[in-house]
């Protein structure tokens, strides 16, 4: 669950420095995650990040000067996913004021419920109005 709703500049590093999620990560407290990639078992989540973030194993960064088809493909897919997430939060922030507000003192479960509710309501709005917004005839 990303951190949102801070006063002042909302650049990546300011959000990172004040994020309760990353503060917990520094202390070794993380939400349990289990997955397998290429036969390797992992128990820690990861975050798509760009070059300004610290070199932590939990941050998966774009490959700089990616050489070779596999690396270029990976870099393009990762950059696309980062843009999709940023765009999605921008949409939620523009539609729901609660996502724009300061939520620093709310607990993680409440934040998760707020985000889930906003996503569900957004999807319901899109489903209800989607054909009108896309210009399709009924």
């Amino acid at each position: 669950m990303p951190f949102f709703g801070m006063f002042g500049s909302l650049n990546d590093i300011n959000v990172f420095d004040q994020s309760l999620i990353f503060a917990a990560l520094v202390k070794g407290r993380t939400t349990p995650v289990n997955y397998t990639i290429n036969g390797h078992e992992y128990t820690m989540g990861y975050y798509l990040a760009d070059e300004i973030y610290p070199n932590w194993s939990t941050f998966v960064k774009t490959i700089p000067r990616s050489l070779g088809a596999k690396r270029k493909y990976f870099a393009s897919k990762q950059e696309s996913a980062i843009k999709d997430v940023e765009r999605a939060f921008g949409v939620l922030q523009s539609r729901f004021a609660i996502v724009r507000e300061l939520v620093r003192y709310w607990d993680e479960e409440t934040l998760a419920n707020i985000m889930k509710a906003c996503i569900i309501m957004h999807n319901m709005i899109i489903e209800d109005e989607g054909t009108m917004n896309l210009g399709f005839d009924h």
Side-chain angles (χ1 to χ4, degrees), residues 29-33 43-45 108:
R29 294 189 316 253
T30 61
T31 304
V33 177
T43 58
M44 181 185 290
E108 192 173 328

Side-chain angles (χ1 to χ4, degrees), residues 92-109:
L92 291 176
Q93 285 178 330
S94 70
R95 189 175 292 266
F96 303 106
I98 196 166
V99 179
R100 292 188 303 269
E101 299 302 318
L102 181 66
V103 296
R104 182 175 198 169
Y105 301 106
W106 294 1
D107 63 271
E108 192 173 328
E109 183 179 353

